[in-house]
């Protein structure tokens, strides 16, 4: 199994310019079987003081990426 072991998505990690579907399509195009999502969990991203809300968005981004991966036949860890 070939995996990209360090992938970020635009939905959470500010250093990334690619949305989950684009990253996963690119992974598939180069023959990968999936990705390991390693988005940043950085307290500086909590700009509104809502840490619980950020945690929910962080987890939601994983589940969103995982569902897109399933549709494309890719593993998302």
């Amino acid at each position: 199994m070939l995996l990209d072991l360090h992938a970020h998505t635009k939905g959470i990690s500010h250093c990334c310019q690619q949305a989950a579907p684009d990253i996963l399509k690119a992974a598939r195009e180069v023959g990968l079987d999936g990705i390991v999502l390693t988005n940043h969990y950085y307290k500086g991203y909590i700009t509104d003081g809502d840490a619980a809300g950020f945690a929910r968005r962080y987890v939601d981004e994983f589940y969103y990426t995982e569902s897109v991966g399933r549709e494309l036949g890719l593993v998302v860890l």
Side-chain angles (χ1 to χ4, degrees):
M1 177 175 283
L2 295 173
L3 299 173
D4 179 338
L5 296 178
H6 192 101
H8 300 290
T9 58
K10 180 180 177 180
I12 291 292
S13 292
H14 297 179
C15 65
C16 183
Q17 300 297 312
Q18 300 280 331
D22 298 327
I23 289 170
L24 291 165
K25 287 174 187 173
R28 187 180 62 186
E29 287 173 8
V30 297
L32 295 179
D33 298 307
I35 65 168
V36 177
L37 192 59
T38 56
N39 280 330
H40 297 289
Y41 195 85
Y42 171 60
K43 72 179 183 176
Y45 287 176
I46 304 169
T47 58
D48 60 1
D50 184 11
F54 177 76
R56 280 189 300 279
R57 291 188 303 275
Y58 187 91
V59 171
D60 288 348
E61 181 70 10
F62 169 77
Y63 286 124
Y64 168 65
T65 304
E66 184 184 44
S67 72
V68 173
R70 254 193 324 268
E71 289 174 13
L72 296 172
L74 297 171
V75 173
V76 175
L77 301 173

